[in-house]
Amino acid sequence: MNDVVEFAGVATVIIGLVGSLCFIGVVTFRMLTKPRAKPAALARAEDERFERLQQSVDAIAIEVERIAEAQRFSAKLMSERAEHGSLPH
């Protein structure tokens, strides 16, 4: 009878350990595969950085357009000078 009680105690411990390990494994798997939500402060900071980047790109585009317009104007002046001659006779 004493052996049966010891076997029941060992079996209970083994079943408890296996159940606990399964539970820990499932929780760990869900934590590793679950997409993590970004904190609101981090999301706001990323939005602000993206907005500044977008404003910078817009400013660069405007400057490039101004440079292109200045080159067109210079080319027009040079072609007019070439048509009329650079020195008067």
Side-chain angles (χ1 to χ4, degrees):
M1 183 73 154
N2 197 14
D3 291 337
V4 174
V5 174
E6 285 182 31
F7 178 76
V10 170
T12 305
V13 170
I14 290 173
I15 291 172
L17 285 174
V18 170
S20 298
L21 289 175
C22 288
F23 177 74
I24 291 170
V26 168
V27 169
T28 303
F29 178 75
R30 286 186 180 175
M31 285 178 55
L32 293 175
T33 59
K34 181 180 175 183
R36 296 182 182 173
K38 295 179 183 176
L42 182 60
R44 243 189 340 267
E46 286 180 358
D47 289 344
E48 290 172 3
R49 287 180 58 208
F50 183 73
E51 184 66 30
R52 285 193 308 265
L53 179 63
Q54 189 173 8
Q55 289 173 354
S56 298
V57 169
D58 290 342
I60 291 170
I62 291 169
E63 290 302 318
V64 167
E65 184 61 34
R66 287 180 183 167
I67 291 169
E69 184 63 33
Q71 285 181 330
R72 284 192 291 272
F73 181 73
S74 296
K76 180 181 173 186
L77 286 179
M78 290 171 65
S79 70
E80 287 176 359
R81 281 187 186 168
E83 287 176 7
H84 299 307
S86 58
L87 295 174
H89 293 348

